[in-house]
Amino acid sequence: DILGFRELGKTEEIWYKSSYDGRDIQGWIVKPPFYDASKTYPLLVENHGGPILNYGDRFTAEIQLYAADGYLVFYPNPRGSTSYGEEFGNMLKNNYPGQDYDDVMDGVDFLIEKGIADKNKLFVTGGSAGGIMTAWIIGKTNRFKAAAVVKPVMNWISKTLTADNYFYYANSRYEGQPWENFEQYWKFSPISLVGNVTTPTMVMVGLNDLRTPPSEAKQLYHALKLRKIETVLVEIPDASHGIANKPSNLISKVMHTLAWFEKYRRE
C-alpha cells in the first residue's frame, strides 16, 4: 500500500582504498529516486554511531528520506566498525577519533572522482559516535557547506563524569581516569578543534538524553555562538538518546536536518 506509490532510492555497496594504510573500506550509497547518471548530486554523508557498529544492506527510512530530497547519501563503515573482524574493530582503541576520519574523507573523494557527487555541495551529519565524527570533521576541514551534529560527545572529560555509563570509560576509551590522563582525553575531544570550525552547524539533542547529555551539545553550540559561526540548537522534547525511536521524533530529526542543509544548498 505504501511502496506502490513511492519510488525508493537505489542502494549500492561500494569499496575504496584507505589513503592512510591502503586497507579496503566498505561504504554504502543511496541514489536519489529517478537518478540521472549524467548529473552530479549534492552529497550527504551520514556517519554511524557506536563507533562499534556498522551500516549494511538494511532498509532505513532516514536515509531514504535524505535521498528523496535530492541527495546522494553516503554512509561508510570506517575502521572501528564491526563485521570486519576483531582487528579492524579494535583499531580505534585509545585512538578515537583517529584514522576513521581519513576513511570517511577517502570515501567522499572516491565518489567525487567517480563523477557522481558535486564537490561544491558536500554536507555531513551523524548521531552519537556519528555526531562525534561530524564535529571532528568540521574541526579538521572546511570542505562541507553545512553540518548537523546530533547527540555528540564534545568533551570526553565532561562526558565521562556526567553520562549514565560513566563507569565504563576508565582504561577503556582512554587510559586512566580523566584527572590522571587529562591530555589524552582532551586531545580526542572534538571541542579541542572548535577554534578551526567555519562550517554552518546545526546541533541537535534529545532533552532526556543520559548517554550524551544535552550539556555536551550545548558546549558546541555555545562555542560556535561565541565564535560567531552560523549555528542553531535543536532540542527534541521527551527524547532520550534514541531520538528516532519515536516516529514523530524521527520525522522531526530528518526535517530539521534537511531544512538546515537546504539553506546552504541554494547558495
Side-chain angles (χ1 to χ4, degrees):
D1 288 348
I2 294 175
L3 297 183
F5 297 92
R6 292 289 183 269
E7 180 78 21
L8 295 183
K10 183 181 178 183
T11 302
E12 296 180 11
E13 181 183 14
I14 62 170
W15 288 87
Y16 55 93
K17 292 287 185 183
S18 163
S19 62
Y20 176 72
D21 57 10
R23 287 176 180 270
D24 290 322
I25 306 296
Q26 182 205 44
W28 298 86
I29 60 172
V30 171
K31 296 176 177 177
F34 312 106
Y35 175 77
D36 183 344
S38 68
K39 297 180 180 179
T40 59
Y41 286 84
L43 182 67
L44 190 158
V45 180
E46 164 71 34
N47 295 293
H48 73 58
I52 305 300
L53 203 63
N54 68 72
Y55 283 131
D57 56 348
R58 305 182 289 270
F59 177 80
T60 158
E62 220 168 308
I63 286 174
Q64 284 288 338
L65 286 167
Y66 292 146
D69 205 50
Y71 291 93
L72 174 68
V73 187
F74 169 52
Y75 44 120
N77 280 328
R79 66 196 63 217
S81 300
T82 53
S83 76
Y84 283 79
E86 185 176 1
E87 187 249 353
F88 192 87
N90 285 336
M91 295 190 79
L92 299 183
K93 183 174 174 60
N94 301 149
N95 182 40
Y96 171 64
Q99 284 68 52
D100 46 335
Y101 164 79
D102 301 293
D103 295 344
V104 174
M105 297 307 296
D106 288 341
V108 171
D109 290 334
F110 173 79
L111 293 168
I112 292 171
E113 289 164 11
K114 281 178 66 73
I116 60 176
D118 186 339
K119 67 178 181 180
N120 297 314
K121 291 186 177 180
L122 305 178
F123 301 85
V124 61
T125 188
S128 197
I132 296 168
M133 178 50 60
T134 303
W136 192 256
I137 283 172
I138 61 175
K140 302 273 280 186
T141 181
N142 63 359
R143 292 177 63 185
F144 292 87
K145 289 183 71 70
V149 176
V150 182
K151 54 188 181 186
V153 172
M154 292 305 301
N155 183 331
W156 286 110
I157 299 163
S158 56
K159 144 75 175 177
T160 300
L161 298 175
T162 58
D164 61 347
N165 61 344
Y166 70 96
F167 54 85
Y168 176 73
Y169 278 82
N171 297 310
S172 174
R173 184 71 76 203
Y174 310 107
E175 296 178 0
Q177 301 287 5
W179 54 88
E180 298 167 339
N181 192 7
F182 179 91
E183 292 79 9
Q184 191 177 36
Y185 275 75
W186 179 253
K187 173 185 174 182
F188 291 106
S189 294
I191 200 69
S192 69
L193 302 177
V194 78
N196 302 330
V197 177
T198 60
T199 306
T201 301
M202 181 179 75
V203 188
M204 184 186 299
V205 70
L207 282 174
N208 295 343
D209 195 331
L210 301 178
R211 185 58 44 90
T212 55
S215 57
E216 292 295 311
K218 287 180 180 178
Q219 288 183 58
L220 175 58
Y221 173 67
H222 290 163
L224 294 179
K225 291 293 283 186
L226 289 169
R227 294 198 55 244
K228 303 189 186 308
I229 304 299
E230 290 183 82
T231 187
V232 63
L233 176 65
V234 178
E235 296 177 317
I236 307 294
D238 300 320
S240 64
H241 192 60
I243 292 175
N245 290 348
K246 187 177 180 181
S248 59
N249 285 342
L250 182 147
I251 294 299
S252 180
K253 175 176 181 281
V254 170
M255 293 300 104
H256 274 95
T257 301
L258 289 175
W260 181 252
F261 288 172
E262 180 62 23
K263 181 179 177 183
Y264 301 97
R265 187 165 70 166
R266 294 195 302 266
E267 293 179 355

